Amino acid sequence: MKTKKFNTFSIAGNGKTNEDYILCQDLFKEYSLAILADGMGGLSYGNQAAQIVSHAIADFIASNLHKYEPKELLCKAFDMADELIRQKCYELRCKMGAAVCVALIGKDSVHYAWQGNVRLYKKENDALVLLTTDHIVANENSTLLTRCINGKGFREPIPVETISINDDDTIYLCTDGYYQNTCNIQNHLPTDSNDDASLIEILFE
């Protein structure tokens, strides 16, 4: 069994409340979980949305880890998060949502799923590889998410992928405020950002 270590970093954007949320925890036996959520700018209660999404996913996975295969487990966890956001939107009479990336870490593999533009990278043999695709539409003036968790269900299937893990590999989850404001994801922490900037580093030894 490989030893896992989590390092985390998060700063608020200039003059803003930090609407990113980090959740890392060990589960049963060899499993661990890392979740990074980014509350949607332009909507209400971004910090609450990120927390609701993260805890809904974590609680569902922890309660159902041995009931489903990883792909179905992650999809159902995203469905649960979406339902809780729907309920909160109704309660607060608002629109809220979050982008999110989830890594379910087993003995020799990582199962990951995402919505939006929270990214997952893998460092292997000193090469850094982006393993997610941003769900965005961008133009000169703005960037809009095409997928997120916002209480309205999912028009497309949740992407779920699996990768193998070896000793000395590293996994990174980071929000757009982080990867857009650093020249080196592995070794440089941004000190200034217009947007919230957050990172989860997962080390395997």
Side-chain angles (χ1 to χ4, degrees):
M1 183 183 299
K2 296 178 175 63
T3 301
K4 296 175 286 291
K5 179 182 178 181
F6 297 101
N7 294 319
T8 63
F9 169 86
S10 188
I11 59 172
N14 295 327
K16 297 181 179 179
T17 298
N18 195 339
E19 296 185 337
D20 290 349
Y21 190 76
I22 292 171
L23 192 159
C24 299
Q25 66 183 62
D26 292 324
L27 302 174
F28 302 106
K29 296 183 179 180
E30 74 271 18
Y31 284 97
S32 298
L33 187 65
I35 302 174
L36 179 55
D38 182 354
M40 291 177 64
L43 301 184
S44 302
Y45 306 103
N47 55 342
Q48 287 192 40
Q51 292 182 44
I52 290 168
V53 164
S54 298
H55 284 283
I57 291 172
D59 291 347
F60 186 91
I61 289 175
S63 298
N64 296 278
L65 184 60
H66 301 298
K67 295 181 182 179
Y68 304 103
E69 293 299 316
K71 181 174 182 177
E72 186 176 7
L73 177 67
L74 286 165
C75 289
K76 287 182 176 293
F78 274 55
D79 287 337
M80 176 59 70
D82 192 70
E83 172 59 22
L84 292 183
I85 288 291
R86 185 194 68 79
Q87 294 176 16
K88 198 65 175 180
C89 287
Y90 180 81
E91 174 189 333
L92 297 176
R93 299 183 182 277
C94 71
K95 294 180 180 180
M96 62 195 305
V100 65
C101 186
V102 180
L104 176 61
I105 305 151
K107 182 178 180 181
D108 296 302
S109 61
V110 174
H111 312 280
Y112 63 97
W114 74 100
Q115 289 285 277
N117 59 346
V118 180
R119 292 182 176 179
L120 184 144
Y121 294 83
K122 179 184 179 184
K123 186 184 78 170
E124 182 179 9
N125 298 324
D126 294 324
L128 189 66
V129 181
L130 174 61
L131 297 179
T132 54
T133 302
D134 294 342
H135 299 141
I136 62 171
V137 172
N139 56 40
E140 295 181 357
N141 300 315
S142 64
T143 298
L144 300 176
L145 295 183
T146 58
R147 301 192 198 182
C148 62
I149 297 182
N150 62 359
K152 297 181 180 179
F154 303 110
R155 291 175 293 179
E156 301 288 340
I158 302 297
V160 181
E161 304 290 346
T162 300
I163 55 172
S164 60
I165 289 296
N166 299 305
D167 291 339
D168 299 324
D169 287 348
T170 305
I171 297 293
Y172 301 93
L173 284 71
C174 48
T175 59
D176 57 342
Y178 187 93
Y179 57 75
Q180 291 175 359
N181 287 281
T182 180
C183 58
N184 189 326
I185 286 174
Q186 303 172 65
N187 300 312
H188 179 259
L189 300 179
T191 57
D192 183 71
S193 174
N194 290 327
D195 198 2
D196 307 329
S198 300
L199 171 78
I200 301 174
E201 179 186 55
I202 310 168
L203 302 172
F204 299 86
E205 303 172 347

